[in-house]
Structures are given as structure tokens and as C-alpha cells.
Amino acid sequence: MSDRPVVSEVIVKAWCEILSVSRADITDDANFFELGGNSVGAARLMTLVEQQLPLRFPLHVLFLDGSLSSVVAECERLVAAQ
């Protein structure tokens, strides 16, 4: 078994922390900014994820789409490509 953190778990945990929610569903297409996120929160999300995963957080996905499902999918793609 790998010691690498599961991409979706890392992102969901950070997402919940930033948005001050107890849980989030990666199939939910709710927009980060419509849920109360802002540019400072986006920067914090990026930092939290980059501290735990071997990737450069795709901030553009958060600003263009904003959904947790899109962010998770892109981060999983980035990690798999390494």
C-alpha cells in the first residue's frame, strides 16, 4: 500500500476547512465562490493542497469552473501524469 495521500481526500478536507463546512461531496457541482469562497480562500486552498500533494494546484480550474468535482479531477490527472 502506498503512503501517498488520496488526492480526493486531501482536496475535500481542505475544501471543507476553507468553506467551514463539515462535509463535501465530490460529485457536487456547487461553485466554490457561490458557497462563500473568495480569492483569499482560493489561495489558502491551493496552499493546503500543495503542502500535501506533489502537484502545482490548478488554480485556473477553481476560477473557471469552481466545482469540487472539477478540481479533484484535474488534481488526480496531474498526480497521475507524474
Side-chain angles (χ1 to χ4, degrees), residues 15 25 27-35 65-69:
W15 182 277
D25 184 347
T27 62
D28 187 3
D29 287 333
N31 183 286
F32 177 81
F33 299 101
E34 291 172 2
L35 294 171
D65 180 280
S67 70
L68 179 57
S69 59

Side-chain angles (χ1 to χ4, degrees), residues 3-22:
D3 288 338
R4 286 173 91 176
V6 176
V7 173
S8 61
E9 290 175 5
V10 169
I11 297 167
V12 167
K13 182 179 177 187
W15 182 277
C16 289
E17 182 178 327
I18 299 303
L19 294 174
S20 299
V21 295
S22 59

